[in-house]
Amino acid sequence: MKLEKLKQKNKITLDKQLSAMHSNDLKVILLEALNDEKSLYLNASKVENIDTLCCQLLISAQSSFLKSELTFEINSPSEKFNATFNILGLQNVFVEA
């Protein structure tokens, strides 16, 4: 997982495993993207496992990006990614207001 810096936006392809063990790496990358002051697009198509901690990091990041008036978008979420958010009752958390 790494931050891909483009001219107008930033992109991250999320790893297959997003557990507590990976949460610090995810946090560092999300903060780097926020500090770059560009919109962020995350590809979640490869995610096979995501735990509650990483879900919380993504939700918090979305809030921070929106407060900074930047786009935060999750693209191509895998079935496992969606299933985890559904189980947690968070299926609509990334729907823009």
Side-chain angles (χ1 to χ4, degrees), residues 35 38 41 45 53 55 67 72 74 79 89:
N35 290 331
K38 294 178 189 169
Y41 296 84
S45 63
L53 178 57
C55 291
K67 284 179 185 172
F72 181 91
I74 304 231
E79 286 183 33

Side-chain angles (χ1 to χ4, degrees), residues 79-97:
E79 286 183 33
K80 295 284 187 178
F81 183 95
N82 282 334
T84 301
F85 276 85
N86 288 341
I87 289 168
L88 295 171
L90 301 170
Q91 59 272 17
N92 296 321
V93 75
F94 295 115
V95 175
E96 290 190 35

Side-chain angles (χ1 to χ4, degrees), residues 15-53:
D15 289 342
K16 290 180 180 182
Q17 300 296 320
L18 293 173
S19 65
M21 215 167 73
H22 308 96
S23 62
N24 192 57
D25 292 340
L26 178 59
K27 176 184 153 190
V28 168
I29 290 171
L30 291 170
L31 285 172
E32 181 183 353
L34 182 61
N35 290 331
D36 202 34
E37 298 181 350
K38 294 178 189 169
S39 294
L40 180 62
Y41 296 84
L42 294 101
N43 180 329
S45 63
K46 295 180 181 178
V47 175
E48 293 176 1
N49 179 43
I50 181 168
D51 70 6
T52 305
L53 178 57

Side-chain angles (χ1 to χ4, degrees), residues 11 15 38 56 62 64 66 92 96:
K11 293 171 68 175
D15 289 342
K38 294 178 189 169
Q56 289 173 324
Q62 178 191 40
S64 296
L66 295 177
N92 296 321
E96 290 190 35

